[in-house]
Amino acid sequence: MTQSILTDIKKAAKKSLKARKDALANTQTQMEVLNGDLFADGELPFFKDKIAETGQFPLKPKTLEVLQINVGYMCNQVCAHCHVDAGPDRKEIMTRETMGQCLEVIRNTGAHTLDLTGGAPEMNPDFRWFVEEASKAGIKDFIVRSNLTIILANKKYHDLPEFFKKHNVHVVSSMPHYTRGKTDKQRGDGVFDKSIKALQMLNEVGYGMPDSNLRLDLVYNPSGAFLPADQAAMEHDFKKALKEDFDIDFHNLFAITNLPISRFLDYLIASDNYEDYMYSLVEAYNPAAVENVMCTNTISVSWDGWLYDCDFNQMLDLKVASKVKHIKHYNDDVLNNRDIIISQHCYGCTAGAGSSCQGTVA
Ligand code: SF4
Ligand code: SF4
């Protein structure tokens, strides 16, 4: 990669694709890239043809286990590889009315896991109200995806560790690496030091301690155009380094593959890595991972209440292929009959040991 491309990517990474009016902010353009020559000319197989080889097309949902709700795309960070294209300039925020519709579904669905994500979900002005209400619904595993730095971003967020503890929230946090250089390269200057401080604050109230019920898991995703290494080996390395260097404890590490969409797609194209990356995803295709990709047990809800097979399809604006498309009309039986919408980005979920918001799947 030339120095000028690196400089351009770094500059661009201070704003979302949307704010930059980048062509890739348009999901149609992203889909054209994903369906482009590499696949249209037959160099690589379309994902649907690949899964058809093992009789897995069309991909169907199983029992709903996870309701993942994206409460807004606003974020205090602008990470280089963000699949949400989140940032301080994004204004899409879930209203209390839509949250109310989600609560109705949370109370009535059989899902055992509620997964709140963003952007930085804590930046939604109704976030605390929503957590308080949702925590009364008796959901077994209530996840909030926190980027850690938000805890230090403003005084009003400093008590988040106590707030999470009060509502027995399961905190899942991105931590691209246990070294400053690799973390700051992906997430911005100063992110590593703030993340370390936030993890120590979470440990102080009991999160992540070996025998604690207050769950604290970390998420790793590669900082470049390569696939994650073995999840268990990385967890071991992260635990050792964070304990020795900063006296930090956490429970599990989830290794997630970067999907070729949004800002990561932008990075792949700008750095001339798109074709090589797609080749490496297709070469690492693992049919066993298809069985458990997260769209088979998850429904994703956007800030404005639309329903998607997963957070990635949400970012590509691929709404569920069902008569029921909005949370206000939610119906388990109707949704369970749908075919899941797939495209070439799905190779990211089925490479190697597979990838989901909860780490590997095979
Ligand atoms: S913290 Fe998460 S949501 Fe925010 S920009 Fe980074 S990857 Fe995107
Ligand atoms: S990207 Fe979404 S739809 Fe495609 S396999 Fe992954 S979870 Fe399923």
Side-chain angles (χ1 to χ4, degrees), residues 47 51 59 259 261 289-290 292-296 298 308-314 316 318 340-350 355-357:
F47 186 75
I51 65 172
L59 195 57
L259 263 64
I261 66 169
V290 179
N292 296 316
V293 282
M294 64 181 170
C295 49
T296 58
T298 302
Y308 301 83
D309 300 300
C310 69
D311 203 46
F312 304 114
N313 282 7
Q314 181 183 146
L316 289 169
L318 302 170
I340 292 166
I341 299 185
I342 52 168
S343 186
Q344 285 44 268
H345 62 297
C346 299
Y347 276 116
C349 294
T350 56
S355 176
S356 76
C357 288

Side-chain angles (χ1 to χ4, degrees), residues 278-291:
M278 294 312 289
Y279 263 95
S280 59
L281 290 182
V282 175
E283 273 162 20
Y285 174 74
N286 176 4
V290 179
E291 193 59 29

